[in-house]
Amino acid sequence: MSVADSTTADIGLPEEKVAELAIDKNDNVEKESDDDEDGEEEEGAGEGEKTQKKKRKNKKKNKKKKKAGLGAAGQTSPPSIPVSQLFPNNSYSVGQICDYVDDNKYRTTSEEMRARDRLSEQKLVDLRRAAEVHREVRQYARSVIRPGMDLTTIAEMIENGTRTLVEERGFESGIGFPTGLSINHCAAHYTPNAGDFVEIKEDDVLKVDFGVHVNGHIIDSAFTMAWNDRYKPLLDAVKDATNTGIREAGIDVRLGDIGAAIQEVMESYEIELDGKVLPIRPIRNLCGHNIGQYLIHSGKSVPIVANRDQTRMEEGELFAIETFGTTGSGYVQEEGVCSHYAKTSDGQPRLPSAKKLLHSITKNFGTLPFCRRYLDRIGEKQYYLGLRHLVDQDIVTAYPPLVDIKGSYTAQAEHTFILRPTVKEVLSRGDDY
């Protein structure tokens, strides 16, 4: 989920009973022979006198290995099996591992760093579980999203799939933030409200941005889809720029330096549209961000253009590197009906309807972002006046759609990684991107 730079601007998966995963009870069991016998004869004290030693049976207990599970290959289509069943004993896949270099190279083999790494083991399990959900949901989504589908159907497909695979349980596990489905010149923060049935067209460029959390540890990852090959340079530009940002990131690295590297790569691309060659620009007032527990934006912004920010990345931090490329002006503004919101303070509203709504928001979402469809889903009705009051009182923050100039096209690519004491782990990396 994108964050605006504060220095410049701010297929339906039914919620059915999950099928049980059948695993042969005899799988992964190491069988050892229990019929080895010692039949050797011992010589007695007298010559020629032999005594037969009683045969002893070497009894060995069968040793059971931990069941590895079927992994992602055991998932159904559409996905319906919780990943905890596919990856028993918390055996979730480790993300892409990147060793530190230069002054931090020692961390890879340091015993002290390894000891510190073990202290965050449960957090890593949570993040890897969320990342596995993201990979499996998006793999299916990417295979079925096509022109003619409406955005509400797509959003509900992704969200219901996430709820099923992560075994949604309130603040224990669930959706990290509303599914962003932004088309063409709209770069971010668009999700359909009730009654919104905008359809994808053959020539559209669609950004898909969604999140998954386990115990408040959020995986934030996004990709762009287009059905016309002419947009390939735009999609390639953001992928390359995001991978560059990930490569440059590390402990003690300055945020401004990462932005400079991203900008250089992004601006090396161009695209031909309707006979005109256009430069691909980074959207300078959108950036990546660090992520806190239950906080999608936790204070640090990772620019995608060069600036003088001397803030450094630190050990243990979780970041989402996301880049946005555009054929337009390279600057977005708020425009259109708002759908994204998040509680950002603990103020006390005066309006009774706002008090009631705030209680419901706190109970169901806490500080996690939500949208109007989520309020509808938990049974809230006629809430708009109360919601407007909470926004006016700065208790809830509204995040309207962010758009470049009309007629332009924007693309996005995003991954979440953690700066472990020993290595950098790109948690959301998959075979797709």
mmCIF file of all heavy atoms in Angstrom, residues 312-355:
data_model
loop_
_atom_site.group_PDB
_atom_site.id
_atom_site.type_symbol
_atom_site.label_atom_id
_atom_site.label_comp_id
_atom_site.label_asym_id
_atom_site.label_seq_id
_atom_site.Cartn_x
_atom_site.Cartn_y
_atom_site.Cartn_z
ATOM 1 N N ARG A 312 18.558 6.629 8.012
ATOM 2 C CA ARG A 312 19.118 5.331 7.654
ATOM 3 C C ARG A 312 18.164 4.189 8.010
ATOM 4 O O ARG A 312 17.389 4.279 8.963
ATOM 5 C CB ARG A 312 20.450 5.107 8.385
ATOM 6 C CG ARG A 312 21.550 6.077 7.974
ATOM 7 C CD ARG A 312 22.801 5.847 8.812
ATOM 8 N NE ARG A 312 23.838 6.826 8.530
ATOM 9 C CZ ARG A 312 24.825 6.647 7.655
ATOM 10 N NH1 ARG A 312 24.891 5.513 6.970
ATOM 11 N NH2 ARG A 312 25.733 7.584 7.457
ATOM 12 N N MET A 313 18.257 3.121 7.246
ATOM 13 C CA MET A 313 17.565 1.884 7.597
ATOM 14 C C MET A 313 18.293 1.239 8.772
ATOM 15 O O MET A 313 19.510 1.368 8.905
ATOM 16 C CB MET A 313 17.544 0.922 6.408
ATOM 17 C CG MET A 313 16.672 1.385 5.260
ATOM 18 S SD MET A 313 16.627 0.161 3.907
ATOM 19 C CE MET A 313 15.186 0.744 3.003
ATOM 20 N N GLU A 314 17.520 0.520 9.604
ATOM 21 C CA GLU A 314 18.103 -0.062 10.806
ATOM 22 C C GLU A 314 17.820 -1.560 10.893
ATOM 23 O O GLU A 314 16.849 -2.066 10.314
ATOM 24 C CB GLU A 314 17.546 0.640 12.048
ATOM 25 C CG GLU A 314 17.842 2.130 12.107
ATOM 26 C CD GLU A 314 17.164 2.801 13.279
ATOM 27 O OE1 GLU A 314 17.534 2.472 14.421
ATOM 28 O OE2 GLU A 314 16.267 3.636 13.054
ATOM 29 N N GLU A 315 18.664 -2.228 11.649
ATOM 30 C CA GLU A 315 18.513 -3.665 11.868
ATOM 31 C C GLU A 315 17.132 -3.984 12.436
ATOM 32 O O GLU A 315 16.631 -3.298 13.324
ATOM 33 C CB GLU A 315 19.590 -4.159 12.841
ATOM 34 C CG GLU A 315 19.500 -5.640 13.176
ATOM 35 C CD GLU A 315 20.478 -6.044 14.270
ATOM 36 O OE1 GLU A 315 21.675 -5.711 14.155
ATOM 37 O OE2 GLU A 315 20.031 -6.669 15.259
ATOM 38 N N GLY A 316 16.527 -5.029 11.907
ATOM 39 C CA GLY A 316 15.236 -5.486 12.404
ATOM 40 C C GLY A 316 14.037 -4.832 11.757
ATOM 41 O O GLY A 316 12.904 -5.269 11.982
ATOM 42 N N GLU A 317 14.250 -3.803 10.943
ATOM 43 C CA GLU A 317 13.108 -3.098 10.355
ATOM 44 C C GLU A 317 12.518 -3.874 9.180
ATOM 45 O O GLU A 317 13.217 -4.570 8.443
ATOM 46 C CB GLU A 317 13.519 -1.701 9.894
ATOM 47 C CG GLU A 317 13.743 -0.725 11.030
ATOM 48 C CD GLU A 317 13.981 0.690 10.556
ATOM 49 O OE1 GLU A 317 14.828 0.889 9.661
ATOM 50 O OE2 GLU A 317 13.341 1.609 11.086
ATOM 51 N N LEU A 318 11.212 -3.711 9.036
ATOM 52 C CA LEU A 318 10.451 -4.307 7.943
ATOM 53 C C LEU A 318 10.076 -3.186 6.979
ATOM 54 O O LEU A 318 9.527 -2.164 7.398
ATOM 55 C CB LEU A 318 9.196 -4.982 8.503
ATOM 56 C CG LEU A 318 8.304 -5.769 7.549
ATOM 57 C CD1 LEU A 318 9.013 -7.042 7.078
ATOM 58 C CD2 LEU A 318 6.978 -6.131 8.237
ATOM 59 N N PHE A 319 10.385 -3.363 5.703
ATOM 60 C CA PHE A 319 10.127 -2.328 4.707
ATOM 61 C C PHE A 319 9.340 -2.874 3.532
ATOM 62 O O PHE A 319 9.472 -4.044 3.165
ATOM 63 C CB PHE A 319 11.438 -1.756 4.159
ATOM 64 C CG PHE A 319 12.082 -0.716 5.025
ATOM 65 C CD1 PHE A 319 13.040 -1.088 5.951
ATOM 66 C CD2 PHE A 319 11.736 0.624 4.924
ATOM 67 C CE1 PHE A 319 13.650 -0.144 6.762
ATOM 68 C CE2 PHE A 319 12.341 1.574 5.732
ATOM 69 C CZ PHE A 319 13.303 1.203 6.648
ATOM 70 N N ALA A 320 8.550 -1.989 2.924
ATOM 71 C CA ALA A 320 7.950 -2.254 1.620
ATOM 72 C C ALA A 320 8.589 -1.284 0.638
ATOM 73 O O ALA A 320 8.447 -0.065 0.781
ATOM 74 C CB ALA A 320 6.433 -2.044 1.663
ATOM 75 N N ILE A 321 9.335 -1.827 -0.309
ATOM 76 C CA ILE A 321 9.869 -1.003 -1.401
ATOM 77 C C ILE A 321 8.844 -1.067 -2.520
ATOM 78 O O ILE A 321 8.537 -2.144 -3.037
ATOM 79 C CB ILE A 321 11.217 -1.543 -1.902
ATOM 80 C CG1 ILE A 321 12.318 -1.317 -0.858
ATOM 81 C CG2 ILE A 321 11.604 -0.878 -3.224
ATOM 82 C CD1 ILE A 321 12.873 0.080 -0.790
ATOM 83 N N GLU A 322 8.293 0.071 -2.869
ATOM 84 C CA GLU A 322 7.350 0.111 -3.983
ATOM 85 C C GLU A 322 7.692 1.288 -4.879
ATOM 86 O O GLU A 322 8.016 2.377 -4.407
ATOM 87 C CB GLU A 322 5.902 0.191 -3.497
ATOM 88 C CG GLU A 322 5.547 1.372 -2.635
ATOM 89 C CD GLU A 322 4.106 1.317 -2.154
ATOM 90 O OE1 GLU A 322 3.218 0.932 -2.948
ATOM 91 O OE2 GLU A 322 3.867 1.654 -0.985
ATOM 92 N N THR A 323 7.657 1.041 -6.172
ATOM 93 C CA THR A 323 7.944 2.101 -7.135
ATOM 94 C C THR A 323 6.768 2.270 -8.081
ATOM 95 O O THR A 323 6.054 1.310 -8.387
ATOM 96 C CB THR A 323 9.216 1.788 -7.943
ATOM 97 O OG1 THR A 323 8.975 0.672 -8.809
ATOM 98 C CG2 THR A 323 10.389 1.477 -7.012
ATOM 99 N N PHE A 324 6.578 3.479 -8.510
ATOM 100 C CA PHE A 324 5.506 3.826 -9.436
ATOM 101 C C PHE A 324 6.113 4.540 -10.636
ATOM 102 O O PHE A 324 6.841 5.527 -10.478
ATOM 103 C CB PHE A 324 4.489 4.763 -8.771
ATOM 104 C CG PHE A 324 3.712 4.142 -7.653
ATOM 105 C CD1 PHE A 324 4.240 4.093 -6.372
ATOM 106 C CD2 PHE A 324 2.446 3.614 -7.863
ATOM 107 C CE1 PHE A 324 3.532 3.532 -5.326
ATOM 108 C CE2 PHE A 324 1.725 3.044 -6.816
ATOM 109 C CZ PHE A 324 2.270 3.000 -5.548
ATOM 110 N N GLY A 325 5.802 4.031 -11.830
ATOM 111 C CA GLY A 325 6.234 4.690 -13.054
ATOM 112 C C GLY A 325 5.030 5.257 -13.777
ATOM 113 O O GLY A 325 3.917 4.733 -13.652
ATOM 114 N N THR A 326 5.240 6.309 -14.542
ATOM 115 C CA THR A 326 4.132 6.953 -15.235
ATOM 116 C C THR A 326 4.563 7.522 -16.576
ATOM 117 O O THR A 326 5.724 7.904 -16.751
ATOM 118 C CB THR A 326 3.523 8.082 -14.372
ATOM 119 O OG1 THR A 326 2.431 8.702 -15.073
ATOM 120 C CG2 THR A 326 4.560 9.150 -14.045
ATOM 121 N N THR A 327 3.613 7.593 -17.492
ATOM 122 C CA THR A 327 3.820 8.292 -18.763
ATOM 123 C C THR A 327 3.356 9.731 -18.650
ATOM 124 O O THR A 327 3.421 10.482 -19.617
ATOM 125 C CB THR A 327 3.050 7.600 -19.899
ATOM 126 O OG1 THR A 327 1.632 7.667 -19.612
ATOM 127 C CG2 THR A 327 3.457 6.152 -20.035
ATOM 128 N N GLY A 328 2.896 10.107 -17.454
ATOM 129 C CA GLY A 328 2.344 11.439 -17.244
ATOM 130 C C GLY A 328 3.334 12.418 -16.642
ATOM 131 O O GLY A 328 4.523 12.423 -16.978
ATOM 132 N N SER A 329 2.852 13.203 -15.688
ATOM 133 C CA SER A 329 3.636 14.308 -15.130
ATOM 134 C C SER A 329 4.640 13.868 -14.071
ATOM 135 O O SER A 329 5.578 14.593 -13.761
ATOM 136 C CB SER A 329 2.693 15.351 -14.515
ATOM 137 O OG SER A 329 2.052 14.812 -13.366
ATOM 138 N N GLY A 330 4.405 12.703 -13.476
ATOM 139 C CA GLY A 330 5.270 12.259 -12.391
ATOM 140 C C GLY A 330 4.856 12.812 -11.044
ATOM 141 O O GLY A 330 5.649 12.810 -10.097
ATOM 142 N N TYR A 331 3.620 13.254 -10.946
ATOM 143 C CA TYR A 331 3.111 13.816 -9.688
ATOM 144 C C TYR A 331 1.635 13.459 -9.576
ATOM 145 O O TYR A 331 0.872 13.641 -10.532
ATOM 146 C CB TYR A 331 3.284 15.338 -9.680
ATOM 147 C CG TYR A 331 2.988 15.995 -8.356
ATOM 148 C CD1 TYR A 331 3.984 16.165 -7.406
ATOM 149 C CD2 TYR A 331 1.704 16.464 -8.051
ATOM 150 C CE1 TYR A 331 3.721 16.779 -6.183
ATOM 151 C CE2 TYR A 331 1.426 17.061 -6.840
ATOM 152 C CZ TYR A 331 2.440 17.222 -5.917
ATOM 153 O OH TYR A 331 2.175 17.824 -4.700
ATOM 154 N N VAL A 332 1.201 12.935 -8.425
ATOM 155 C CA VAL A 332 -0.206 12.556 -8.250
ATOM 156 C C VAL A 332 -0.910 13.496 -7.283
ATOM 157 O O VAL A 332 -0.285 14.110 -6.413
ATOM 158 C CB VAL A 332 -0.346 11.099 -7.744
ATOM 159 C CG1 VAL A 332 0.079 10.119 -8.814
ATOM 160 C CG2 VAL A 332 0.437 10.879 -6.456
ATOM 161 N N GLN A 333 -2.218 13.586 -7.459
ATOM 162 C CA GLN A 333 -3.066 14.386 -6.580
ATOM 163 C C GLN A 333 -4.278 13.559 -6.160
ATOM 164 O O GLN A 333 -4.642 12.590 -6.829
ATOM 165 C CB GLN A 333 -3.530 15.654 -7.297
ATOM 166 C CG GLN A 333 -2.400 16.535 -7.786
ATOM 167 C CD GLN A 333 -2.903 17.802 -8.448
ATOM 168 O OE1 GLN A 333 -3.518 18.647 -7.787
ATOM 169 N NE2 GLN A 333 -2.676 17.926 -9.747
ATOM 170 N N GLU A 334 -4.889 13.969 -5.062
ATOM 171 C CA GLU A 334 -6.099 13.283 -4.588
ATOM 172 C C GLU A 334 -7.280 13.679 -5.463
ATOM 173 O O GLU A 334 -7.486 14.861 -5.746
ATOM 174 C CB GLU A 334 -6.378 13.668 -3.132
ATOM 175 C CG GLU A 334 -5.302 13.193 -2.170
ATOM 176 C CD GLU A 334 -5.570 13.613 -0.738
ATOM 177 O OE1 GLU A 334 -6.520 14.409 -0.524
ATOM 178 O OE2 GLU A 334 -4.849 13.158 0.165
ATOM 179 N N GLU A 335 -8.046 12.665 -5.869
ATOM 180 C CA GLU A 335 -9.197 12.934 -6.724
ATOM 181 C C GLU A 335 -10.171 11.771 -6.663
ATOM 182 O O GLU A 335 -9.772 10.606 -6.685
ATOM 183 C CB GLU A 335 -8.743 13.152 -8.177
ATOM 184 C CG GLU A 335 -9.881 13.461 -9.141
ATOM 185 C CD GLU A 335 -9.383 13.624 -10.569
ATOM 186 O OE1 GLU A 335 -8.685 14.619 -10.839
ATOM 187 O OE2 GLU A 335 -9.673 12.723 -11.396
ATOM 188 N N GLY A 336 -11.457 12.075 -6.586
ATOM 189 C CA GLY A 336 -12.473 11.036 -6.637
ATOM 190 C C GLY A 336 -13.011 10.659 -5.268
ATOM 191 O O GLY A 336 -12.572 11.169 -4.231
ATOM 192 N N VAL A 337 -13.950 9.739 -5.279
ATOM 193 C CA VAL A 337 -14.621 9.296 -4.057
ATOM 194 C C VAL A 337 -13.663 8.441 -3.226
ATOM 195 O O VAL A 337 -13.025 7.524 -3.737
ATOM 196 C CB VAL A 337 -15.883 8.481 -4.400
ATOM 197 C CG1 VAL A 337 -16.545 7.962 -3.130
ATOM 198 C CG2 VAL A 337 -16.858 9.329 -5.209
ATOM 199 N N CYS A 338 -13.587 8.741 -1.943
ATOM 200 C CA CYS A 338 -12.662 8.013 -1.062
ATOM 201 C C CYS A 338 -13.237 6.647 -0.678
ATOM 202 O O CYS A 338 -14.447 6.491 -0.496
ATOM 203 C CB CYS A 338 -12.387 8.832 0.194
ATOM 204 S SG CYS A 338 -11.120 8.115 1.256
ATOM 205 N N SER A 339 -12.338 5.679 -0.542
ATOM 206 C CA SER A 339 -12.741 4.343 -0.094
ATOM 207 C C SER A 339 -11.840 3.837 1.027
ATOM 208 O O SER A 339 -12.271 3.048 1.848
ATOM 209 C CB SER A 339 -12.730 3.365 -1.267
ATOM 210 O OG SER A 339 -11.459 3.355 -1.893
ATOM 211 N N HIS A 340 -10.566 4.274 1.053
ATOM 212 C CA HIS A 340 -9.585 3.817 2.051
ATOM 213 C C HIS A 340 -9.575 4.720 3.281
ATOM 214 O O HIS A 340 -9.546 5.954 3.154
ATOM 215 C CB HIS A 340 -8.167 3.845 1.468
ATOM 216 C CG HIS A 340 -7.865 2.715 0.538
ATOM 217 N ND1 HIS A 340 -8.565 2.498 -0.629
ATOM 218 C CD2 HIS A 340 -6.915 1.744 0.588
ATOM 219 C CE1 HIS A 340 -8.055 1.442 -1.254
ATOM 220 N NE2 HIS A 340 -7.059 0.968 -0.537
ATOM 221 N N TYR A 341 -9.553 4.107 4.473
ATOM 222 C CA TYR A 341 -9.500 4.854 5.728
ATOM 223 C C TYR A 341 -8.648 4.076 6.730
ATOM 224 O O TYR A 341 -8.428 2.878 6.586
ATOM 225 C CB TYR A 341 -10.904 5.043 6.331
ATOM 226 C CG TYR A 341 -11.881 5.770 5.443
ATOM 227 C CD1 TYR A 341 -12.640 5.075 4.487
ATOM 228 C CD2 TYR A 341 -12.063 7.145 5.549
ATOM 229 C CE1 TYR A 341 -13.542 5.743 3.672
ATOM 230 C CE2 TYR A 341 -12.971 7.830 4.737
ATOM 231 C CZ TYR A 341 -13.700 7.114 3.792
ATOM 232 O OH TYR A 341 -14.587 7.773 2.978
ATOM 233 N N ALA A 342 -8.191 4.775 7.774
ATOM 234 C CA ALA A 342 -7.498 4.109 8.879
ATOM 235 C C ALA A 342 -7.609 4.965 10.127
ATOM 236 O O ALA A 342 -7.540 6.200 10.070
ATOM 237 C CB ALA A 342 -6.028 3.868 8.542
ATOM 238 N N LYS A 343 -7.790 4.318 11.251
ATOM 239 C CA LYS A 343 -7.800 5.021 12.533
ATOM 240 C C LYS A 343 -6.368 5.424 12.874
ATOM 241 O O LYS A 343 -5.460 4.595 12.905
ATOM 242 C CB LYS A 343 -8.360 4.110 13.622
ATOM 243 C CG LYS A 343 -8.359 4.735 15.011
ATOM 244 C CD LYS A 343 -8.787 3.724 16.066
ATOM 245 C CE LYS A 343 -8.591 4.287 17.464
ATOM 246 N NZ LYS A 343 -8.896 3.285 18.504
ATOM 247 N N THR A 344 -6.167 6.721 13.144
ATOM 248 C CA THR A 344 -4.813 7.214 13.374
ATOM 249 C C THR A 344 -4.637 7.948 14.701
ATOM 250 O O THR A 344 -3.543 8.408 15.010
ATOM 251 C CB THR A 344 -4.391 8.148 12.223
ATOM 252 O OG1 THR A 344 -5.433 9.111 11.977
ATOM 253 C CG2 THR A 344 -4.142 7.364 10.946
ATOM 254 N N SER A 345 -5.709 8.081 15.489
ATOM 255 C CA SER A 345 -5.566 8.678 16.822
ATOM 256 C C SER A 345 -6.672 8.158 17.735
ATOM 257 O O SER A 345 -7.601 7.496 17.285
ATOM 258 C CB SER A 345 -5.617 10.213 16.756
ATOM 259 O OG SER A 345 -6.943 10.671 16.618
ATOM 260 N N ASP A 346 -6.565 8.485 19.020
ATOM 261 C CA ASP A 346 -7.528 7.989 20.006
ATOM 262 C C ASP A 346 -8.435 9.094 20.539
ATOM 263 O O ASP A 346 -8.819 9.091 21.704
ATOM 264 C CB ASP A 346 -6.790 7.335 21.185
ATOM 265 C CG ASP A 346 -6.098 6.050 20.782
ATOM 266 O OD1 ASP A 346 -6.704 5.277 20.011
ATOM 267 O OD2 ASP A 346 -4.957 5.821 21.219
ATOM 268 N N GLY A 347 -8.776 10.026 19.694
ATOM 269 C CA GLY A 347 -9.650 11.120 20.124
ATOM 270 C C GLY A 347 -11.049 10.653 20.458
ATOM 271 O O GLY A 347 -11.446 9.522 20.147
ATOM 272 N N GLN A 348 -11.820 11.539 21.082
ATOM 273 C CA GLN A 348 -13.198 11.243 21.464
ATOM 274 C C GLN A 348 -14.162 12.103 20.654
ATOM 275 O O GLN A 348 -14.217 13.317 20.838
ATOM 276 C CB GLN A 348 -13.399 11.493 22.966
ATOM 277 C CG GLN A 348 -12.636 10.534 23.865
ATOM 278 C CD GLN A 348 -13.099 9.094 23.659
ATOM 279 O OE1 GLN A 348 -14.284 8.830 23.492
ATOM 280 N NE2 GLN A 348 -12.145 8.162 23.665
ATOM 281 N N PRO A 349 -14.909 11.517 19.732
ATOM 282 C CA PRO A 349 -15.849 12.298 18.926
ATOM 283 C C PRO A 349 -17.046 12.767 19.746
ATOM 284 O O PRO A 349 -17.416 12.135 20.738
ATOM 285 C CB PRO A 349 -16.283 11.305 17.841
ATOM 286 C CG PRO A 349 -16.121 9.964 18.471
ATOM 287 C CD PRO A 349 -14.930 10.091 19.386
ATOM 288 N N ARG A 350 -17.626 13.863 19.338
ATOM 289 C CA ARG A 350 -18.795 14.409 20.049
ATOM 290 C C ARG A 350 -20.101 13.824 19.518
ATOM 291 O O ARG A 350 -21.060 13.677 20.259
ATOM 292 C CB ARG A 350 -18.820 15.937 19.900
ATOM 293 C CG ARG A 350 -17.631 16.635 20.548
ATOM 294 C CD ARG A 350 -17.788 18.154 20.513
ATOM 295 N NE ARG A 350 -17.854 18.652 19.144
ATOM 296 C CZ ARG A 350 -16.783 18.989 18.435
ATOM 297 N NH1 ARG A 350 -15.575 18.856 18.955
ATOM 298 N NH2 ARG A 350 -16.922 19.457 17.211
ATOM 299 N N LEU A 351 -20.134 13.509 18.243
ATOM 300 C CA LEU A 351 -21.357 13.017 17.610
ATOM 301 C C LEU A 351 -21.646 11.583 18.055
ATOM 302 O O LEU A 351 -20.775 10.715 17.969
ATOM 303 C CB LEU A 351 -21.182 13.071 16.093
ATOM 304 C CG LEU A 351 -22.435 13.097 15.225
ATOM 305 C CD1 LEU A 351 -23.231 14.370 15.461
ATOM 306 C CD2 LEU A 351 -22.034 12.976 13.753
ATOM 307 N N PRO A 352 -22.859 11.292 18.555
ATOM 308 C CA PRO A 352 -23.185 9.929 19.019
ATOM 309 C C PRO A 352 -22.965 8.860 17.957
ATOM 310 O O PRO A 352 -22.436 7.777 18.256
ATOM 311 C CB PRO A 352 -24.669 10.037 19.409
ATOM 312 C CG PRO A 352 -24.848 11.477 19.768
ATOM 313 C CD PRO A 352 -23.962 12.238 18.844
ATOM 314 N N SER A 353 -23.366 9.150 16.711
ATOM 315 C CA SER A 353 -23.189 8.143 15.651
ATOM 316 C C SER A 353 -21.713 7.895 15.378
ATOM 317 O O SER A 353 -21.307 6.774 15.040
ATOM 318 C CB SER A 353 -23.894 8.601 14.370
ATOM 319 O OG SER A 353 -23.328 9.809 13.886
ATOM 320 N N ALA A 354 -20.898 8.940 15.547
ATOM 321 C CA ALA A 354 -19.457 8.795 15.343
ATOM 322 C C ALA A 354 -18.832 7.969 16.469
ATOM 323 O O ALA A 354 -17.917 7.169 16.232
ATOM 324 C CB ALA A 354 -18.792 10.166 15.257
ATOM 325 N N LYS A 355 -19.327 8.154 17.693
ATOM 326 C CA LYS A 355 -18.824 7.358 18.826
ATOM 327 C C LYS A 355 -19.095 5.879 18.601
ATOM 328 O O LYS A 355 -18.229 5.028 18.829
ATOM 329 C CB LYS A 355 -19.499 7.813 20.122
ATOM 330 C CG LYS A 355 -19.004 9.141 20.660
ATOM 331 C CD LYS A 355 -19.687 9.461 21.984
ATOM 332 C CE LYS A 355 -19.194 10.789 22.537
ATOM 333 N NZ LYS A 355 -19.847 11.117 23.832
#
